[in-house]
Amino acid sequence: MNYEIDKHGFYGSYGGAFVPELLFANINELAQNYINIIEKEDFQNEYKSLLKDYVGRPSPLYFAKRLSARYNTNIFLKREDLNHTGAHKINNTIGQILLAKRMGKTRIIAETGAGQHGVATATVCALMDMECIVYMGEKDVKRQAPNVARMKMLGAEVRPVSSGSKTLKDATNEAIRDWINNPGNTFYIIGSVVGPHPYPDMVAIFQSVISEEMKLQLTEQTGRDYPDKIITCIGGGSNAAGAYYHYINNKKVELISVEAGGKGINTGMSAATSVLGSDGIIHGSMTKLMQTADGQIIEPYSISAGLDYPGIGPLHAHLIETGRTKVLTATDDQAVKAGFLLTKTEGIIPALESAHALAALEMIEFSLDEIVVVNLSGRGDKDMETYLQWNTTDIIPD
Amino acid sequence: MGKIKINNIFGRKENILSIYLTAGYPVINSMPDLAIALAQAGVNFLELGMPFSDPLADGQTIQYSSNVALKNGITLEKYFDQVARIRDKIDIPLIFMGYFNQLLKFGIEKFLSNCVETGIDGMIIPDLPPEHFEKKYKEIFDKYDLSLSFLVTPTTTESRIKYIDKLSSGFVYLVSTSSTTGKIDKFTNEQAEYFKKIKNLNLNNPVIIGFGISSRDKFLLANKYADGAIIGSAYIKTLKNSANYILETKNFVNKILKK
């Protein structure tokens, strides 16, 4: 294990399981069993074979030649966008549904914001023939119609959530309440390294395949198993957790997390949690979150629905606090511009989330002999409407 | 006064009734008038809920009231002001109910000291886990004369119930169902068995049953199995679209207590 947590699920002072007693038995059952089950050989065999044959792993580590030339360095893209369902999310949903099956659960629930995790969950439920209910904020149901249609076609029931601000955080609350009301048969598949222990750890383990492959691929392509820098986008932080996992203790690797700066950090319209946030509890976890002086959680904003979360995973709060990761922010404009740049130079349309990581390339001084990995967490098909609405004449680079 | 005041409610009379109300609902300044009306109607103690943006342990009715209250502009400052006004007029125990993040952000010591100063006697913080409380916060809480009631649910094991009883003061909050508040309308045999099991454990603290108590019959039954009952959602519902919420409040309590 490369993330050090104590037995209560704390990374330093962050994490834990701040859940009402109503949820204790569910969480405790999971916390007592997840490591034992995941480490079993038959679990690993089934998980790895599905990642290979169903998801299409290993995802390529692609040397982006023209992008590298532009920034005078060596940029590799970890192509999570090429996974089945179009993002890294499925690494986690496959792991969790196999766990659910082994724990004898028959009913799957999930939360989703943009719909990517909802689609990844609905997909594995279809694969495993399990009942699937996805909670989605009413506003997001309207904003993300194509993903709603996908989930329905895959056989999931999409339940619009009208409480609170009607977005991802409220969908998460509602999924947690569903779990409280249906103890016993239900398994809650959380989509990021957030929520009460053991979720952050469990999701990080399932995403760790990203850096596991990176080590082998870098050795093959560069003769060395580590890069100088890894750049990821971070909302809850699951793709970042996976990309950092096997490098946490290798201090030669600089870890750079890019948060959504929205319309600008000081505009009140951003999701720059680590800059604007303070310590507190969201979804059962002690972490950094955006909140008022009264401890009410603030609804964030980003052009990218996947980064639009008022907290960050507790392990990231810890990594930031201890100085292990560095945080940058990219605004909507910078991200869209970076998305167009990658499309034009490499023929890859990135998800808006991943475009935030790419935007950081403009902000960092590189040297010619450096090796940089950008985790390309998802593909941009879902974001075409947003890309095309942008005033592209201003921003398409030469 | 705090803990003693809460202890004094129990064992002196039959059929203890507590009512939960949401600060800032139905209108921003309604809590003091409602609390006074509830006390005058015969309610034995009050849970004064401070709305939270993300109330995990609450069902739809209380979520709704919290949402309205936040839109009405309720803040902790106003909450404490209103508590002090209530304390000036009535003598029954007042329990703060809210979420742990509110204490953390405000500063735990400052929060607890504000509670004591304004006249709060005890606390219910549903998302503060007993283990974490014992390890990190018990010492701080012990400095203040405030009771702290932890929750017990049908999925809580016997050894854990005893542990929770040990850490609780004032009373133990027995959640009647494995469900968020306000979803069911009668007790099942299963619930009755569960209540009896708890009764036979002879806990140190009095036991109050909450969640899903909506009628006089259930109120009386809860008092048969335990030391009292808390009503939340059923009362909050009566305030929705009410033209005269003070009258509504009196009628509601009279129906439960059959005066």
Side-chain angles (χ1 to χ4, degrees), chain A residues 363-379:
Chain A
M363 306 169 195
I364 301 167
E365 288 284 320
F366 297 105
S367 64
L368 261 173
D369 59 351
E370 266 188 316
I371 295 168
V372 178
V373 174
V374 178
N375 196 35
L376 202 67
S377 56
R379 71 174 84 124

Side-chain angles (χ1 to χ4, degrees), chain B residues 20-27 30-31 34 47-51 61-62 65-67 69 235-236 239:
Chain B
Y20 167 92
L21 56 162
T22 305
Y25 182 83
V27 296
S30 49
M31 184 165 80
L34 293 176
E47 287 178 68
L48 305 177
M50 172 62 203
T61 305
I62 290 172
S65 68
S66 299
N67 218 355
Y235 169 61
I236 298 293
L239 301 178

Side-chain angles (χ1 to χ4, degrees), chain A residues 6 8 10 13 17-26 162-166 169-170 172-174 176-177 180-183 278-284 286 289 291-298, chain B residues 50-59 63 67 70 74-77 100-102 104-106 126-132 135-137 151-153 155-156 160 164 175 177-180 183 211:
Chain A
D6 71 13
H8 302 294
F10 279 89
S13 54
F18 292 84
V19 295
E21 184 62 20
L22 297 132
L23 207 55
F24 178 83
N26 289 353
S162 59
S163 60
S165 49
K166 305 179 175 55
K169 81 176 176 68
D170 310 285
T172 307
N173 290 335
E174 216 49 59
I176 292 174
R177 289 187 192 108
I180 288 173
N181 292 331
N182 297 284
S278 53
D279 292 359
I281 294 167
I282 180 169
H283 299 134
M286 176 85 78
L289 61 122
Q291 55 182 329
T292 67
D294 263 9
Q296 309 290 354
I297 296 170
I298 293 172
Chain B
M50 172 62 203
F52 181 48
S53 55
D54 294 74
L56 277 185
D58 289 312
Q63 281 177 52
N67 218 355
L70 288 170
I74 191 71
T75 59
L76 276 169
E77 193 188 348
F100 192 45
N101 195 50
Q102 297 169 322
L104 275 176
K105 182 65 183 165
F106 196 80
D127 64 338
L128 174 59
E131 293 82 2
H132 197 67
K135 214 172 98 190
K136 268 199 94 169
Y137 301 109
L151 272 57
V152 161
T153 81
T155 55
T156 310
R160 191 170 164 79
I164 286 170
V175 178
T177 166
S178 298
S179 169
T180 43
K183 277 201 110 171
F211 282 44

